[in-house]
Amino acid sequence: MTVPDPMKGVRGVFAATLVLESIVVALSLLVLSKFGDGATPLAVGVILALAVAMVVAAGVQRRPWGLRLALALQVVMVACGLLVPALGVMGVVFVLVWVALLLLRRDLAGKMARGELPSQQLRDP
C-alpha cells in the first residue's frame, strides 16, 4: 500500500493560489487606465509578465525551488502597486494568504514529523 504524500496536496493549494492570483493581476489591466499615467506599454507589459509568471510558477510547484519562486512573485506583486495602487493592495492581501498557507504547511510538517497524521497511524488488521 502506498502512503499518500500530504505535501503534494499543499503544493496543489499553492498552485491554485497562484492561478487565482494571476487572474487578479490580469484583471488589474481593466483599471490601469484610471490611475497615474494610465495604460502605458511598460505598465501593461509588467502586469502581463507578472500574470504569466504566476501561471508558470503554479506549474513548477513540485520543484524544490517552486515555493521560493512563488514567494518572490509576491514581492513583485506588492511592488507593482507603484503602477496600479489597487494591485499593491491586493498584493498585500495575497501576502497574508501566503503567510497563512506557510503556517499551514509548517503545521502539517510538524504533524508528519511527530507521526500524527491519520495515514501514519498503524491500522489493526
Side-chain angles (χ1 to χ4, degrees), residues 1-6 108 112 115-123:
M1 171 171 52
T2 58
V3 178
D5 178 14
L108 180 62
M112 284 175 60
E116 296 175 353
L117 295 178
S119 63
Q120 295 174 313
Q121 304 300 315
L122 293 177
R123 296 184 185 178

Side-chain angles (χ1 to χ4, degrees), residues 2-68:
T2 58
V3 178
D5 178 14
M7 287 300 177
K8 186 176 182 179
V10 172
R11 289 189 301 269
V13 172
F14 290 169
T17 303
L18 284 163
V19 169
L20 290 173
E21 239 180 314
S22 71
I23 293 169
V24 169
V25 169
L27 287 173
S28 71
L29 289 171
L30 298 174
V31 297
L32 185 60
S33 62
K34 298 182 183 354
F35 294 101
D37 295 333
T40 64
L42 173 65
V44 171
V46 167
I47 289 172
L48 286 175
L50 179 60
V52 169
M54 286 179 170
V55 172
V56 170
V60 297
Q61 284 306 296
R62 68 178 59 96
R63 306 277 186 223
W65 45 268
L67 179 58
R68 289 191 301 272

